[in-house]
Amino acid sequence: MAEDAARRDLVLYGRRLYEKGFVAATDGNLSARLAEGGFLATPTGLPKGELAEGLMARLDSEGRPASGKPSSEWPMHLAIYRARPDVGAVVHAHPPFATALACAGRGLDGAVLSEVIISLGTVPLAPFALPSTEGLAERVASSLGDHSAVLLANHGAVTVGPDVRSAYYRMETLEQASRIQLYADLLGGGRPLPEQAVQALRGLGEGYALAPLPCPACEGCPVAAGEPGAVVLRRDELARLLAEFARGHGRR
Ligand SMILES: [Zn+2]
């Protein structure tokens, strides 16, 4: 992802994790692989409801901190990026229903709910390891394999995607499916779909993708139209320029 977009989305979807109750206090962490090389990760010790673009930790292309202090679960994110060159973003959270399944030692086999087969597939369970350790990083990356999501025994969940938005929405789908699984269990257990239906739904899933976010500024935007001299400014850059202008104006 481009760095500006990654900073914006890490803040947006980090806050959404908090607002949805998928994390409490300082739980959870998000990261993105940058198109220009290296990574951005949410900082350690900061509630996901209080993130800001300028507070992200920057990692070099080897995953070593270049500025800021990344989440203590950064080694788990890095292990996933090393194992999966297709992954552009990683989201880790403790959503209550998915975490309940993980605490009960269960994954989500994906053969009960049509939507899950289409958009998420099977969700394996990674064996328990102490949080923030290399052991956890290795187990999560190897259990994730080629899947889009993995449950962490007695801990929580990880989802991945080409960008932060996709990884976040997979976490929403995972939590919704886990909640339905639990209710179905209370009613005597979900009835698995016939194998033929599962195969057909998997076929549908291959063409299923989250539509790209339309940019509301694109229509009539001089940058998108390639007009010479047109520039894009982040809010903090604009604030800095206005402050400089105000200082210069004050001296006259
Ligand atoms: Zn955690």
Side-chain angles (χ1 to χ4, degrees):
M1 296 183 70
E3 184 163 346
D4 282 2
R7 283 183 189 274
R8 179 198 64 206
D9 285 1
L10 289 170
V11 171
L12 176 65
Y13 294 107
R15 285 183 185 163
R16 211 165 277 184
L17 283 180
Y18 184 76
E19 285 158 8
K20 294 282 267 181
F22 293 178
V23 291
T26 59
D27 289 353
N29 29 77
L30 306 90
S31 66
R33 193 198 302 265
L34 301 176
E36 48 267 61
F39 307 87
L40 283 178
T42 48
T44 186
L46 191 74
K48 302 300 136 337
E50 298 176 9
L51 291 170
E53 290 184 22
L55 297 176
M56 298 302 158
R58 183 78 155 81
L59 297 302
D60 69 16
S61 53
E62 298 298 314
R64 294 171 299 223
S67 67
K69 194 172 176 206
S71 157
S72 60
E73 295 290 17
W74 168 245
M76 175 175 78
H77 292 238
L78 184 60
I80 293 171
Y81 288 120
R82 284 183 174 151
R84 290 275 301 270
D86 62 307
V87 166
V90 176
V91 172
H92 166 53
H94 305 158
F97 288 95
T99 304
L101 284 184
C103 288
R106 290 175 50 178
L108 208 58
D109 71 11
V112 176
L113 273 168
S114 307
E115 278 299 315
V116 174
I117 298 170
I118 293 173
S119 59
L120 209 57
T122 303
V123 181
L125 176 73
F128 179 76
L130 285 174
S132 312
T133 60
E134 285 294 337
L136 180 70
E138 282 166 25
R139 286 177 183 194
V140 171
S142 89
S143 298
L144 177 67
D146 290 332
H147 299 278
S148 301
V150 58
L151 291 173
L152 283 50
N154 303 84
H155 183 165
V158 166
T159 52
V160 299
D163 51 38
V164 177
R165 180 169 168 255
S166 309
Y168 167 78
Y169 279 117
R170 283 175 175 160
M171 189 64 79
E172 268 200 6
T173 301
L174 172 61
E175 178 63 348
Q176 180 80 342
S178 302
R179 184 206 290 250
I180 292 166
Q181 175 80 57
L182 205 77
Y183 290 155
D185 285 353
L186 291 173
L187 296 170
R191 294 186 184 180
L193 287 162
E195 183 55 31
Q196 211 177 359
V198 173
Q199 292 304 335
L201 287 164
R202 286 198 180 123
L204 281 179
E206 282 160 19
Y208 184 96
L210 194 64
L213 199 61
C215 173
C218 274
E219 202 176 332
C221 168
V223 174
E227 279 182 30
V231 294
V232 174
L233 284 181
R234 287 205 316 262
R235 189 186 295 269
D236 59 325
E237 291 168 333
L238 177 64
R240 184 174 51 76
L241 284 173
L242 287 172
E244 274 175 22
F245 174 78
R247 273 199 301 276
H249 198 68
R251 277 202 295 271
R252 267 182 225 135

